[in-house]
């Protein structure tokens, strides 16, 4: 079965025989499968296996974890009897004995010590990338490929490989504030490559209308609603492209998820090394992955205990905290919330590919030594050497949180607060100024009043989304 998943690029397998049911998620959980443990049922939708309100068994404190991280950890959902297959996990259900067995066949952990030198790793990386993109191009030879182009390294690499290896029908699209650094880079990239570029000029009103419509609830219910916060990233852009008939069900969407994580870009500096206490690991996980909303420190003890359980079945010989941290993020945030972004394309009945999540690419990076992953050293070295049409060395636009217009007032006021009014006032001001940063459209979807109610404890727009999401779940089960 594992061979079939890899050989035919299947995203999940579900097989039923007279006596048994076998199910498996792929190595990154690109399709979600849920199962009811009591009266065994399995589906890609929780509602199909847990739809009787009278018999619902819901976790008492589920909202705490959802509000802080945006997902239920491990194989849990908000329902006690409904579990989810994790990335690289399979199950066998025996109908006669009513016995259920699950087993992890893939973990994002190194298989063995990699002693290859940088020059060899760069060659292998190039070979894997070319093979994956040639497969995608061959499979979708006459189809239109659309690339969400943020201007970042990953989306630049996607569009470079598609162009270099000969795909003819490519359109790139971008959205967000028109004077943002991402939009400027995307426009320049497409000009260099002579590729059609569409800028989707949506404003605060568009976002507010969409996120207060019935359509958003329909989309959220379509996603893994009872286990993971729906990922809205490309939602309005795809809705626009569909409404203008620029794309249809034969189009292919290819985004750059998740090049930054897989290549080592998320490794905290505090975890580099082998002789550091594990408490620092748990602290880093909580700081990064349980910070959508601030919470009382007394609740950190329960969180820490839940995190420890995730590592119980890990080989005790694996002591590198950076390795364990990446394992956590792969299992929890990446395979749930980030991969969940593909549900947008499913909702609009579109096809998609994830080259940076292919098994060969993931397997390569999980075995790269950390001295080459820290600060994405190997990845950035490759991009500088590859440098297709100068796209990775000639474009030097500084990453900015605010547009040029808003920087004129945010920066001086921030400096004034720091040196005259104090760092606490500066912190509060910058929290307020988020409403005008490059994610301003998402914040404005809920309006300035809702933002001001919560702005001091918000990490990013997902903090507002998670408040609404949990509220909807609570209302459903009152």
């Amino acid at each position: 079965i594992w061979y079939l998943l890899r050989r035919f690029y299947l995203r999940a397998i579900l097989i039923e025989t007279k006596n048994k049911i076998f199910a498996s998620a792929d190595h990154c959980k690109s399709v979600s499968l849920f199962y009811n443990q009591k009266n065994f049922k399995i589906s890609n939708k929780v509602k199909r296996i847990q739809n009787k309100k009278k018999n619902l068994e819901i976790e008492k404190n589920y909202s705490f974890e959802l509000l802080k991280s945006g997902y239920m950890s491990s194989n849990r959902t908000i329902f006690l009897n409904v579990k989810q297959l994790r990335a690289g996990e399979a199950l066998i259900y025996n109908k006669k004995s009513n016995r259920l067995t699950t087993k992890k066949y893939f973990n994002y952990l190194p298989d063995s010590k990699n002693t290859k030198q940088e020059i060899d790793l760069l060659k292998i990386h190039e070979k894997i990338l070319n093979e994956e993109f040639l497969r995608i191009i061959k499979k979708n030879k006459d189809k239109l490929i659309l690339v969400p182009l943020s201007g970042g390294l990953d989306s630049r690499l996607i569009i470079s490989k598609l162009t270099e290896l000969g795909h003819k029908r490519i359109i790139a699209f971008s959205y967000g504030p028109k004077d943002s650094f991402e939009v400027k880079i995307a426009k320049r990239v497409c000009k260099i490559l002579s590729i059609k570029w569409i800028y989707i000029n949506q404003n605060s009103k568009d976002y507010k209308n969409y996120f207060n419509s019935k359509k958003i609830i329909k989309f959220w219910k379509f996603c893994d609603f009872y286990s993971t916060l729906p990922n809205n990233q490309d939602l309005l852009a795809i809705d626009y492209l569909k409404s203008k008939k620029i794309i249809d069900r034969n189009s292919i969407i290819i985004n750059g998820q998740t090049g930054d994580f897989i290549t080592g870009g998320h490794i905290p500096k505090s975890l580099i090394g082998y002789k550091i206490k594990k408490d620092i690991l748990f602290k880093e996980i909580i700081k990064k992955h349980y910070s959508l909303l601030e919470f009382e420190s007394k609740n950190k003890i329960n969180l820490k205990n839940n995190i420890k359980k995730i590592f119980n079945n890990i080989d005790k010989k694996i002591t590198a905290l950076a390795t364990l941290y990446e394992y956590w993020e792969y299992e929890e945030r990446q395979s749930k919330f980030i991969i969940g972004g593909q549900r947008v394309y499913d909702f609009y009945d579109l096809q998609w590919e994830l080259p940076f999540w292919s098994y060969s690419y993931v397997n390569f990076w999980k075995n790269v030594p950390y001295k080459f992953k820290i600060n994405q050293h190997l990845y950035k070295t490759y991009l500088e050497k590859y440098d297709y049409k100068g796209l990775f060395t000639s474009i030097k636009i500084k990453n900015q949180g605010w547009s040029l217009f808003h920087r004129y007032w945010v920066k001086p006021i921030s400096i004034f607060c720091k040196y005259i009014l104090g760092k606490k006032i500066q912190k509060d001001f910058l929290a307020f100024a988020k409403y005008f940063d490059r994610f301003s459209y998402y914040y404005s979807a809920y309006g300035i009043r809702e933002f001001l109610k919560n702005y001091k404890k918000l990490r990013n727009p997902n903090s507002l989304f998670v408040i609404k999401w949990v509220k909807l779940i609570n209302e459903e089960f009152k």
Side-chain angles (χ1 to χ4, degrees):
I1 297 298
W2 177 219
Y3 170 79
L4 290 175
L5 282 165
R6 288 174 54 189
R7 174 68 179 81
F8 297 104
Y9 295 88
L10 301 177
R11 292 173 179 154
I13 285 181
L14 183 58
I15 300 171
E16 183 171 11
T17 66
K18 184 179 180 181
N19 298 319
K20 293 181 180 180
I21 295 174
F22 179 92
S24 179
D26 66 3
H27 64 281
C28 62
K29 194 176 175 286
S30 56
V31 170
S32 296
L33 290 175
F34 302 92
Y35 57 96
N36 192 318
Q37 291 180 299
K38 273 193 172 181
N39 303 305
F40 186 81
K41 293 179 182 178
I42 187 165
S43 174
N44 64 333
K45 301 292 181 187
V46 173
K47 266 294 188 181
R48 293 175 186 167
I49 56 178
Q50 183 69 295
N51 55 11
K52 295 180 180 179
K53 286 194 175 183
K54 291 181 180 180
N55 300 319
L56 290 178
E57 294 184 73
I58 301 174
E59 282 203 18
K60 288 183 180 179
N61 299 316
Y62 73 85
S63 61
F64 172 75
E65 189 169 18
L66 296 185
L67 285 168
K68 309 314 170 196
S69 67
Y71 42 78
M72 299 296 287
S73 60
S74 188
N75 66 343
R76 293 156 52 230
T77 69
I78 70 166
F79 303 110
L80 292 172
N81 293 323
V82 179
K83 305 298 180 185
Q84 57 181 308
L85 277 177
R86 295 172 292 169
E89 186 175 44
L91 69 76
I92 296 177
Y93 174 69
N94 189 309
K95 296 178 183 178
K96 288 187 175 181
S97 62
N98 197 30
R99 184 183 177 189
L100 176 66
T101 306
T102 61
K103 182 176 178 61
K104 285 275 286 177
Y105 62 83
F106 178 87
N107 285 311
Y108 193 70
L109 294 166
D111 298 321
S112 58
K113 190 174 181 180
N114 193 328
T115 57
K116 288 184 170 60
Q117 298 302 306
E118 182 175 305
I119 189 169
D120 298 317
L121 291 169
L122 288 170
K123 289 177 182 177
I124 296 169
H125 181 260
E126 171 80 2
K127 181 175 182 291
I128 291 171
L129 267 183
N130 286 343
E131 286 175 351
E132 180 60 20
F133 278 93
L134 284 169
R135 178 193 71 81
I136 290 171
I137 290 169
K138 183 179 179 181
K139 177 184 174 184
N140 304 292
K141 186 177 179 181
D142 300 317
K143 294 180 179 178
L144 175 64
I145 291 180
L146 286 101
V147 180
L149 193 60
S150 68
L153 297 177
D154 306 323
S155 59
R156 255 187 273 177
L157 180 55
I158 293 282
I159 207 162
S160 295
K161 280 295 174 186
L162 289 171
T163 306
E164 178 200 13
L165 298 174
H167 194 76
K168 302 300 181 185
R169 300 185 65 203
I170 305 171
I171 292 178
F173 66 92
S174 307
Y175 52 90
K178 197 168 187 176
D179 61 348
S180 69
F181 76 95
E182 289 116 324
V183 171
K184 289 178 180 178
I185 293 176
K187 184 178 181 180
R188 188 170 171 186
V189 166
C190 290
K191 185 176 181 180
I192 292 171
L193 296 178
S194 300
I195 286 173
K196 182 179 179 180
W197 178 66
I198 298 173
Y199 171 64
I200 302 170
N201 189 13
Q202 293 169 320
N203 56 33
S204 301
K205 187 177 179 181
D206 296 322
Y207 279 72
K208 194 162 188 174
N209 288 340
Y210 194 99
F211 283 100
N212 285 281
S213 69
K214 291 181 180 179
K215 191 179 286 187
I216 187 64
I217 305 300
K218 187 177 180 181
F219 168 68
W220 282 15
K221 293 284 188 178
F222 176 84
C223 300
D224 303 343
F225 189 71
Y226 302 101
S227 62
T228 306
L229 174 68
N231 188 331
N232 309 293
Q233 187 166 328
D234 287 345
L235 191 56
L236 267 74
I238 295 299
D239 186 73
Y240 171 85
L241 293 171
K242 282 281 285 187
S243 67
K244 298 297 181 182
K245 298 183 179 178
I246 296 169
I247 53 176
D248 57 33
R249 63 186 307 172
N250 292 316
S251 306
I252 311 295
I253 309 289
I254 304 180
N255 64 43
Q257 297 291 5
T258 181
D260 57 344
F261 162 75
I262 217 78
T263 58
H266 291 190
I267 301 171
K269 291 181 180 179
S270 63
L271 300 185
I272 298 169
Y274 288 79
K275 297 180 180 179
I276 306 174
K277 293 181 180 179
K278 276 193 176 181
D279 278 349
I280 297 177
L281 169 66
F282 303 142
K283 182 180 178 181
E284 286 291 350
I285 289 173
I286 291 171
K287 183 173 76 173
K288 174 67 185 288
H289 300 286
Y290 290 89
S291 57
L292 283 180
L293 294 167
E294 291 184 1
F295 57 90
E296 297 294 328
S297 57
K298 63 181 180 181
N299 293 315
K300 288 185 180 181
I301 297 173
N302 292 331
L303 270 182
K304 193 180 288 188
N305 291 332
N306 286 339
I307 292 168
K308 286 180 180 178
K309 291 177 184 177
I310 305 294
F311 295 107
N312 282 345
N313 296 321
I314 301 299
D315 188 342
K316 301 302 179 185
K317 294 178 183 178
I318 298 174
T319 57
L321 299 190
T323 302
L324 296 174
Y325 180 89
E326 286 200 307
Y327 166 79
W328 168 274
E329 182 166 345
Y330 185 98
E331 286 284 317
E332 301 303 327
R333 184 172 186 268
Q334 295 293 328
S335 67
K336 293 173 183 175
F337 179 70
I338 298 301
I339 290 285
Q342 305 305 110
R343 301 292 85 78
V344 171
Y345 313 138
D346 294 334
F347 182 68
Y348 284 98
D349 198 22
L350 298 170
Q351 300 174 59
W352 50 269
E353 294 278 358
L354 281 174
F356 295 151
W357 277 108
S358 68
Y359 173 77
S360 57
Y361 200 68
V362 169
N363 199 52
F364 167 78
W365 279 105
K366 80 170 186 173
N367 290 303
V368 170
Y370 278 98
K371 63 180 179 179
F372 298 125
K373 293 182 78 172
I374 294 167
N375 297 321
Q376 296 179 280
H377 170 76
L378 187 73
Y379 186 57
K380 290 179 178 177
T381 300
Y382 168 77
L383 294 178
E384 288 177 5
K385 289 179 179 294
Y386 170 58
D387 199 27
Y388 185 68
K389 296 197 175 184
L391 291 178
F392 299 95
T393 57
S394 65
I395 299 177
K396 302 289 184 182
I397 299 178
K398 191 176 180 182
N399 186 333
Q400 296 284 354
W402 286 272
S403 67
L404 182 62
F405 173 77
H406 290 303
R407 287 203 301 276
Y408 279 132
W409 65 270
V410 170
K411 189 173 181 179
I413 294 177
S414 174
I415 293 171
F416 175 80
C417 290
K418 180 179 179 180
Y419 293 106
I420 306 300
L421 303 178
K423 289 185 178 180
K424 185 181 183 303
I425 301 297
Q426 182 197 35
K427 182 182 177 183
D428 290 345
F429 167 73
L430 290 175
F432 162 75
K434 282 181 181 179
Y435 193 79
F436 306 96
D437 71 10
R438 61 196 178 98
F439 298 119
S440 59
Y441 293 166
Y442 290 105
Y443 288 120
S444 60
Y446 293 99
I448 187 69
R449 287 185 180 180
E450 189 65 26
F451 175 81
L452 289 175
K453 283 181 187 177
N454 303 286
Y455 79 97
K456 289 185 181 180
K457 60 181 181 180
L458 304 178
R459 178 177 176 179
N460 57 42
N462 287 323
S463 304
L464 281 178
F465 290 134
V466 82
I467 291 172
K468 181 174 181 177
W469 174 50
V470 171
K471 184 180 178 182
L472 287 171
I473 293 176
N474 289 339
E475 287 176 353
E476 184 174 347
F477 298 112
K478 274 184 179 178

